[in-house]
Amino acid sequence: MLRASSRLFGKALVVAEYLDGKIVPASLAAITAATKVGSVSALVAAKDAKSLGAELAKVNGVSEVLVASGEQYAAGLPEEIAPLVKSLVDKHNFTHVFAATSAFGKNVIPRAAAKSDSMPISDITAIESEDTFVRQMYAGNAVTTVKSSDKIKFVTVRGTSFDRAALTGGSATVVETDASTAVSSAKWVEDLIAKSDKPDLTTAPKVVAGGRGLKNGDNFKLLFDLAEPLKAAVGATRAVVDAGYCPNDMQIGQTGKTIAPQLYIGAGVSGAIQHVAGMKDSKVIAVINTDADAPFFQVADYGLVADLFDAVPALTKLVKN
Amino acid sequence: MFSRSVVNLFRPTLANNMKVIVGVKRVVDYTVKIRVKDNKIQTDGVKMSVNPFDEIAIEEAIRLKEKKIATEVIAVTIGNKKSEEVLRTAMALGCDKAIHIVVPDADAVTLEPLAIAKILAKLHAEEKPDLWILGKQAVDGDFGSTPQLLAGLIDAPQGTFASEIAVADGKVKVTREIDAGRQVVELKLPAVVAADLRLNTPRFPNLQSIMKARKKPIDTREVAKLDVDIKPRLTTVSAAEPPVRKAGVKVKTVDELFDKLRNEAKVL
């Protein structure tokens, strides 16, 4: 089907997200999604948003960057950003508001939607038309296509379902916009973030994940040893995060992170519905488990019934050579 | 200035007099693998339970009561007649009373987070709770938006994906699970908190409390009398099961696995 952008009448606002002064990859996927409904404006709200805005202006597909600078935006609090989004929607007549399905996007988009009396559409995996979207329910066991009757569609976008917009090639106009009045009902206190030089779980092309079969936190070293030569990120199931073996930001699944790497290697993971929901779109799935009846073998491209304590170090050795 | 001093006047008593409302949803049990047939999600005859995140919300509210921070915990559900059972569970766990907004079966299946949030906002104006604790998402629709919608509608601060909360001096400090780790925010009450998995481990109701809960009051109301627009904004055009992955192979040795990944799948 021929679909020239000039035939699309939508006007989309993408609420961009930054980490350490860089636009996050999931926001770039949200920009790609937004280009499917019409022209794309991107909003960057930060303490001093100017340089971020300049960076965003170069992203392919963005035609306008709205820059809002203010102390109140420093921590990305939804109490401050939702009113800003509402005022921009009213002023610029946006038909769509997009953000990534991240902790930030999930926090901001529904609150902003409430202010415009819209029903937000969470974690879309495809766009059929400007008002029709595909999303999953029941831990990915039902795929539904929904049509929205709202005047303004508020949408969060699954980062692994859309390509990321290129960081170059764009030449958007940058418009400074007035900051909204500080609400101050919420105050940022601190971030408790484990700094790591390891690849980011949601964007890594290879992921090694561990489950209850690892038995304790120390044994995750086996997975990190395998991950290192592969340049893979390490993830985990809910069970092991709950047990305190790993921090919560490593959780893959319905209520954790959704990933779709080129290669997923699962060790000691049974393959519960909730975990599979977060990784079943991986290109190649390899599973190592002692239990030949583990449900995970049904989704695995390659399954090895073996003790991970033998198999993982052996695989690490082969990879290193 | 005047209004601020009035708030300060009440602050010392506020913390010990807290009213907490928890939202509870009856959903298909999380262990059930749902089927889709004839463009419809099949929920007839499957096991239903309290949404797991709502169990955590209930537990947290009860703990606030046990710490003598909250004096009253109200459980609310919005759904068809059968939803009453989740309120009985909530009360068996320690909620003092319950409100059931009864929605006719036909409307219940299309009820969306926005409609739910509007109903809750109406209850907020009536009950004036200090704190709302909801689950971060329902495991059926997977929207994860009701707490944020409610907070937006009533203009209260929101503490989503909460793994720890501490209430003091008219504020709630919420530790939130975010992509890169955790974040701590401090919210003025009234506030909306959305429970994440690691907020607590919910208890089980015992037989005695289940029996006692049968006598606790449920304030049952018809949704039609609330004057809230619950018409769905989303229409389901189609529903299907996800594509099935083609059957994989079982390999016998680590060497074979390595060989397949390198030479067949070409991912190593």
Side-chain angles (χ1 to χ4, degrees):
Chain A
M1 190 167 71
L2 186 76
R3 195 181 253 182
S5 60
S6 61
R7 291 174 59 196
L8 297 169
F9 300 111
K11 203 164 177 287
L13 177 68
V14 177
V15 185
E17 181 181 354
Y18 282 84
L19 190 68
D20 299 329
K22 280 172 89 173
I23 183 166
V24 304
S27 280
L28 296 171
I31 287 169
T32 301
T35 58
K36 295 181 192 303
V37 301
S39 70
V40 178
S41 299
L43 166 67
V44 49
K47 191 176 162 191
D48 182 5
K50 253 191 199 158
S51 62
L52 299 170
E55 192 198 340
L56 201 48
K58 289 182 250 162
V59 174
N60 199 22
V62 178
S63 57
E64 179 189 42
V65 176
L66 301 171
V67 172
S69 295
E71 192 80 51
Q72 68 269 42
Y73 305 129
L77 294 175
E79 291 80 1
E80 307 296 345
I81 295 179
L84 173 67
V85 170
K86 161 76 176 155
S87 72
L88 292 172
V89 162
D90 292 347
K91 193 173 154 197
H92 297 261
N93 299 314
F94 289 114
T95 57
H96 296 72
V97 180
F98 287 86
T101 309
S102 59
F104 171 81
K106 288 193 281 189
N107 204 20
V108 169
I109 288 291
R111 188 180 178 98
K115 308 233 171 265
S116 292
D117 190 31
S118 284
M119 167 62 204
I121 308 166
S122 315
D123 204 19
I124 61 152
T125 56
I127 296 177
E128 302 236 308
S129 71
E130 58 92 26
D131 63 358
T132 307
F133 307 90
V134 180
R135 65 180 299 274
Q136 301 181 358
M137 297 167 72
Y138 293 93
N141 287 306
V143 180
T144 56
T145 303
V146 292
K147 188 179 160 88
S148 169
S149 62
D150 279 325
K151 213 174 110 221
I152 305 148
K153 284 92 178 159
F154 286 79
V155 179
T156 61
V157 177
R158 182 173 290 195
T160 53
S161 298
F162 294 86
D163 293 333
R164 291 173 218 156
L167 283 165
T168 53
S171 55
T173 49
V174 178
V175 181
E176 289 205 35
T177 180
D178 291 338
S180 45
T181 317
V183 177
S184 309
S185 60
K187 200 178 90 191
W188 174 83
V189 179
E190 60 179 328
D191 281 344
L192 304 164
I193 288 167
K195 279 276 168 223
S196 138
D197 48 2
K198 301 197 167 67
D200 172 55
L201 184 57
T202 48
T203 54
K206 297 190 186 81
V207 170
V208 181
R212 224 192 293 255
L214 265 298
K215 293 198 174 79
N216 63 48
D218 293 340
N219 289 334
F220 263 79
K221 189 179 176 303
L222 294 176
L223 300 192
F224 282 106
D225 288 347
L226 172 60
E228 208 204 319
L230 290 174
K231 294 187 179 62
V234 178
T237 63
R238 175 193 166 181
V240 301
V241 176
D242 280 356
Y245 301 171
C246 315
N248 67 285
D249 51 274
M250 282 171 66
Q251 188 185 327
I252 298 166
Q254 181 185 21
T255 64
K257 287 179 172 143
T258 304
I259 61 167
Q262 292 292 312
L263 171 63
Y264 168 101
I265 302 176
V269 183
S270 66
I273 301 170
Q274 290 76 17
H275 181 72
V276 173
M279 49 62 67
K280 67 181 161 55
D281 293 327
S282 304
K283 197 129 186 241
V284 176
I285 298 172
V287 170
I288 301 167
N289 204 314
T290 44
D291 177 10
D293 297 325
F296 220 4
F297 284 116
Q298 288 161 26
V299 296
D301 299 292
Y302 303 107
L304 173 64
V305 181
D307 187 341
L308 73 93
F309 292 101
D310 301 324
V312 172
L315 186 60
T316 306
K317 217 174 204 174
L318 289 169
V319 169
K320 276 189 174 159
N321 295 330
Chain B
M1 212 52 210
F2 173 69
S3 67
R4 187 170 294 170
S5 60
V6 170
V7 170
N8 281 331
L9 202 66
F10 284 101
R11 215 166 249 177
T13 57
L14 189 66
N16 302 323
N17 259 321
M18 261 181 50
K19 188 192 235 186
V20 181
I21 306 191
V22 289
V24 193
K25 187 178 184 187
R26 182 176 180 262
V27 299
V28 171
D29 191 85
Y30 74 97
T31 57
V32 173
K33 190 166 187 264
I34 206 78
R35 294 269 158 229
V36 186
K37 219 175 85 189
D38 306 327
N39 241 347
K40 270 210 172 90
I41 295 160
Q42 305 295 314
T43 54
D44 289 347
V46 302
K47 188 185 172 201
M48 305 291 280
S49 305
V50 175
N51 178 42
F53 291 97
D54 301 346
E55 289 181 332
I56 297 167
I58 294 166
E59 176 68 29
E60 199 62 21
I62 299 163
R63 288 185 188 188
L64 286 174
K65 212 178 122 185
E66 287 168 347
K67 286 183 212 153
K68 309 250 184 281
I69 293 169
T71 43
E72 187 176 32
V73 178
I74 306 171
V76 176
T77 199
I78 302 164
N80 67 7
K81 286 226 167 68
K82 285 181 181 159
S83 302
E84 187 182 308
E85 65 194 37
V86 298
L87 293 178
R88 294 286 170 205
T89 306
M91 290 195 290
L93 288 165
C95 294
D96 300 296
K97 57 180 196 182
I99 301 172
H100 184 185
I101 307 297
V102 182
V103 180
D105 280 324
D107 296 329
V109 288
T110 58
L111 205 62
E112 292 168 351
L114 181 64
I116 301 278
K118 284 183 175 180
I119 295 169
L120 297 180
K122 201 118 206 188
L123 290 177
H124 181 79
E126 214 175 281
E127 298 283 340
K128 300 189 175 55
D130 302 288
L131 189 64
W132 284 89
I133 310 181
L134 310 178
K136 80 157 178 181
Q137 85 190 63
V139 297
D140 51 1
D142 282 338
F143 274 104
S145 58
T146 304
Q148 300 89 311
L149 284 162
L150 170 64
L153 291 174
I154 64 174
D155 245 323
Q158 64 191 48
T160 50
F161 327 132
S163 62
E164 207 183 315
I165 68 169
V167 184
D169 303 326
K171 288 183 195 133
V172 55
K173 200 179 230 186
V174 181
T175 305
R176 308 177 53 234
E177 299 205 346
I178 58 169
D179 296 331
R182 287 170 300 151
Q183 177 182 71
V184 184
V185 292
E186 196 175 76
L187 317 174
K188 284 184 193 160
L189 298 179
V192 179
V193 166
D196 212 325
L197 286 170
R198 277 165 286 276
L199 184 57
N200 59 50
T201 307
R203 69 192 75 181
F204 293 100
N206 61 38
L207 187 63
Q208 197 191 358
S209 55
I210 291 170
M211 299 307 284
K212 248 166 67 186
R214 293 163 82 173
K215 296 200 186 88
K216 288 191 188 176
I218 293 182
D219 174 3
T220 306
R221 305 191 215 171
E222 300 296 324
V223 71
K225 292 194 179 133
L226 284 182
D227 189 31
V228 175
D229 172 24
I230 61 162
K231 216 174 87 207
R233 308 294 182 83
L234 306 179
T235 359
T236 303
V237 180
S238 68
E241 287 191 9
V244 184
R245 287 184 79 100
K246 71 170 174 56
V249 293
K250 279 229 175 104
V251 295
K252 292 212 163 54
T253 62
V254 176
D255 292 277
E256 198 186 340
L257 176 65
F258 178 75
D259 177 66
K260 293 271 191 194
L261 290 176
R262 167 154 289 184
N263 300 318
E264 191 177 277
K266 301 192 197 305
V267 284
L268 280 186

